[in-house]
Amino acid sequence: ENFPLVRLRLTTHPFWNPKYTALLELDLFQAIMEMADAYAKDKEEGVNSGHWDSIVDAFDDGDMKNFWTYDAARAFYFSSMILFPEVAYYEIIGHSYEERPIDVFSLRDDSFTMRAPKPNILFTSLHHAREVMSLQMNMFVFAKLVHGYLSNEADSHFLVQTRNNFFVPFVNPDGYSAISDYFLDEEKNPKHSLTRIRKNRHASPAKDCDWTKLGVDINRNYGFKWGFDDEGSSTDPCDEAYRGTEPFSEPETRAMRSLANKYNFKWAFNYHAFGPLYVYPYGYDGAYNDHLPFEFLEIFKEFEKECDLKDAKWGNARQTVNYPANGEAADWLLNEYGTFAFSPELASPSAYSKQFFPRHDAILPVLEYNLPAAIRGIWKSGPQLLINEIDNSRYFERGDLFEYVLLSFVVENVGLQDSYSTGLKLDVIANSIPPHVDVEIFQLHETLSIADAQYAHVWDKDITQFDHLLGKMN
């Protein structure tokens, strides 16, 4: 009782100085515009006005029965790119069958340099046009990172600085544009219903299909195990799983191949709907992970445990959707590039979310249910440090006026990349501070003096993938 209270806080997360701020209102597009004004004003005044809850409310209020039309969704991404050039970038990696651009938007801080290459992470949506929740999810993750970076949220700021995050919202822009156009067509569709177009718009000359059934299933047209059998894909041009005439016959898959060749992604989420299912390779033959290398399976299982998504089912195609899929994107990414690729089938535990066009009150729960896994995936792609096995024991030495506290800890790197700078930080948060406190890291052979509550020290130590650092403080 005669000794002052000293609390030591050990973290592996950097504490960033305020840099940018953002003000977000309910309307999504008004939010983007006002974010720019607030960004400049708050940066000048040194305040933080960001409110994530405000932008969340806009995501179930789209212009197409609570979803977003093709043009409106593109405007959202372009607004961010134009208004925040510090972190938002744009490129075209190809064009669709009907000559629409295949857009790629990325969030990254190129001014922030690291000793190791930054990992590249991919988020895609709308391989299948009717799976509109995949686009909502893509936009939601993008908005979360933009808002978090500009309003100086520690996690988002760190992940934009240390990772390169790529978003392809419209893998199938023709199919989604057809859904949007039909919805807006007063003459053909006076009730403004949503049609269930799945494939691209590449009609086959060999067979006359209904206008909603024509095209190629883009997610059966990738090169790995293309056409492996007629169960996991089809030769029928009117079938929903029609695989095309040959691997990469479609301009959309060729564009995705160019993107993967350029950036060699470490991690990927190819969003689909509906689930909730988190599907990972291999799914081409319906076997139970018989062909998946153990090191990949181990990471997939570890990620499942870290996410702890209640009611979600994890596994390959046979274990989740209960049918094979060959010529599929995640299988191809893993086989060709070693990418840890998922095909999440989006939903929440609610029964109302398990459909292609969920009702209004089911949209936000789906986005919020799946967002933590998206953020964890970005973390997992690079160095990810966890502090555990903390052992704290106290003892007194009779006659001395000092209290000795021994704290031992283990810092593990559970990410997929070596950590070249741990960001390991020790700072003091205390009710009162004694005149002098010595902190000795035995393994690191450093003795530090803490003079006041403002003290902080950061160790710059390398921790390789799956390795750990041992430390003791006295």
Side-chain angles (χ1 to χ4, degrees):
E1 294 180 357
N2 295 325
F3 291 96
L5 172 65
V6 178
R7 297 174 58 211
L8 301 179
R9 176 173 57 197
L10 181 68
T11 68
T12 61
H13 201 294
F15 284 68
W16 303 99
N17 293 323
K19 188 176 180 182
Y20 300 121
T21 58
L23 175 63
L24 300 171
E25 302 295 342
L26 291 178
D27 178 78
L28 191 62
F29 301 104
Q30 180 184 354
I32 293 296
M33 299 303 294
E34 292 189 359
M35 189 191 295
D37 295 336
Y39 158 68
K41 180 180 178 182
D42 289 355
K43 182 180 178 183
E44 187 175 313
E45 296 178 358
V47 299
N48 187 345
S49 306
H51 298 287
W52 170 241
D53 290 344
S54 299
I55 199 169
V56 165
D57 292 334
F59 272 86
D60 61 354
D61 193 25
D63 57 347
M64 187 173 69
K65 285 195 173 179
N66 306 311
F67 302 103
W68 298 96
T69 59
Y70 174 69
D71 290 335
R74 288 190 84 212
F76 161 74
Y77 288 99
F78 277 117
S79 297
S80 300
M81 180 200 71
I82 293 169
L83 295 172
F84 310 115
E86 297 92 339
V87 295
Y89 297 85
Y90 173 70
E91 60 185 296
I92 297 174
I93 52 159
H95 290 80
S96 66
Y97 177 74
E98 294 181 340
E99 293 298 320
R100 290 182 177 84
I102 309 291
D103 302 318
V104 182
F105 301 91
S106 57
L107 293 175
R108 61 185 195 266
D109 186 351
D110 288 347
S111 68
F112 186 83
T113 58
M114 298 172 62
R115 282 186 281 167
K118 298 179 184 180
N120 298 323
I121 303 96
L122 175 66
F123 293 89
T124 75
S125 51
L126 295 178
H127 270 86
H128 298 142
R130 67 191 178 195
E131 297 171 11
V132 295
M133 283 304 302
S134 66
L135 174 61
Q136 301 286 108
M137 192 71 224
N138 196 302
M139 295 171 68
F140 199 64
V141 177
F142 185 91
K144 175 63 177 175
L145 290 179
V146 168
H147 172 269
Y149 183 85
L150 297 175
S151 58
N152 203 46
E153 287 179 1
D155 275 9
S156 295
H157 202 286
F158 183 72
L159 294 179
V160 171
Q161 283 196 319
T162 62
R163 274 80 165 156
N164 299 321
N165 306 280
F166 292 83
F167 297 81
V168 184
F170 310 99
V171 178
N172 182 4
D174 297 346
Y176 195 69
S177 182
I179 292 176
S180 299
D181 292 345
Y182 181 70
F183 173 81
L184 297 171
D185 193 321
E186 292 281 356
E187 183 178 343
K188 295 180 180 179
N189 185 21
K191 294 184 178 180
H192 298 288
S193 59
L194 294 171
T195 185
R196 295 190 174 194
I197 293 172
R198 171 182 166 98
K199 301 183 287 181
N200 73 1
R201 308 306 287 159
H202 185 180
S204 170
K207 194 170 182 179
D208 186 19
C209 305
D210 178 83
W211 76 280
T212 63
K213 301 291 186 183
L214 63 81
V216 174
D217 183 345
I218 296 173
N219 206 38
R220 300 296 185 274
N221 191 241
Y222 290 92
F224 180 67
K225 298 299 181 180
W226 178 90
F228 179 81
D229 61 26
D230 292 338
E231 183 184 3
S233 60
S234 174
T235 59
D236 180 359
C238 297
D239 191 275
E240 291 199 326
Y242 175 53
R243 59 182 174 246
T245 56
E246 62 183 357
F248 297 107
S249 63
E250 305 310 295
E252 295 89 352
T253 50
R254 292 197 296 273
M256 293 302 298
R257 180 176 59 185
S258 297
L259 184 69
N261 283 338
K262 184 175 181 179
Y263 292 111
N264 192 19
F265 296 103
K266 175 67 80 172
W267 193 275
F269 283 115
N270 298 306
Y271 285 124
H272 293 264
F274 48 93
L277 309 169
Y278 274 73
V279 188
Y280 52 74
Y282 286 118
Y284 66 87
D285 66 349
Y288 290 91
N289 298 316
D290 293 352
H291 314 298
L292 185 64
F294 176 76
E295 60 269 24
F296 285 94
L297 180 60
E298 190 175 34
I299 295 298
F300 289 139
K301 292 287 189 182
E302 182 180 276
F303 185 67
E304 175 186 356
K305 186 180 296 185
E306 291 173 2
C307 289
D308 192 27
L309 279 177
K310 182 182 178 183
D311 296 325
K313 185 182 290 187
W314 297 65
N316 69 0
R318 177 60 71 192
Q319 294 166 310
T320 52
V321 294
N322 201 31
Y323 58 77
N326 40 64
E328 190 267 344
D331 280 11
W332 166 73
L333 282 168
L334 186 145
N335 183 77
E336 191 73 17
Y337 306 96
T339 305
F340 290 86
F342 283 87
S343 298
E345 299 278 357
L346 299 167
S348 71
S350 168
Y352 298 114
S353 71
K354 299 172 184 179
Q355 50 189 298
F356 291 126
F357 310 117
R359 71 187 202 182
H360 179 264
D361 61 356
I363 295 174
L364 280 180
V366 172
L367 302 178
E368 292 172 334
Y369 176 79
N370 290 279
L371 180 64
I375 301 302
R376 284 185 178 274
I378 302 174
W379 271 109
K380 195 76 173 174
S381 67
Q384 183 184 18
L385 304 180
L386 299 179
I387 301 173
N388 57 24
E389 298 184 29
I390 295 177
D391 179 33
N392 188 356
S393 58
R394 291 170 174 262
Y395 64 92
F396 294 89
E397 186 172 327
R398 187 180 300 274
D400 281 352
L401 295 179
F402 297 98
E403 177 184 6
Y404 293 91
V405 181
L406 177 65
L407 173 65
S408 61
F409 59 90
V410 177
V411 180
E412 290 186 276
N413 182 5
V414 299
L416 298 177
Q417 191 178 66
D418 294 350
S419 172
Y420 292 95
S421 177
T422 63
L424 184 63
K425 178 176 181 178
L426 177 72
D427 61 338
V428 178
I429 44 179
N431 291 341
S432 59
I433 298 295
H436 184 84
V437 176
D438 286 335
V439 179
E440 183 177 357
I441 306 295
F442 290 109
Q443 177 147 335
L444 304 184
H445 305 295
E446 299 182 25
T447 301
L448 311 168
S449 294
I450 301 176
D452 56 55
Q454 301 302 312
Y455 172 84
H457 183 77
V458 177
W459 291 276
D460 189 17
K461 301 295 178 182
D462 296 351
I463 305 180
T464 58
Q465 181 183 353
F466 307 131
D467 201 356
H468 61 273
L469 175 149
L470 299 175
K472 292 182 178 180
M473 295 186 290
N474 190 26

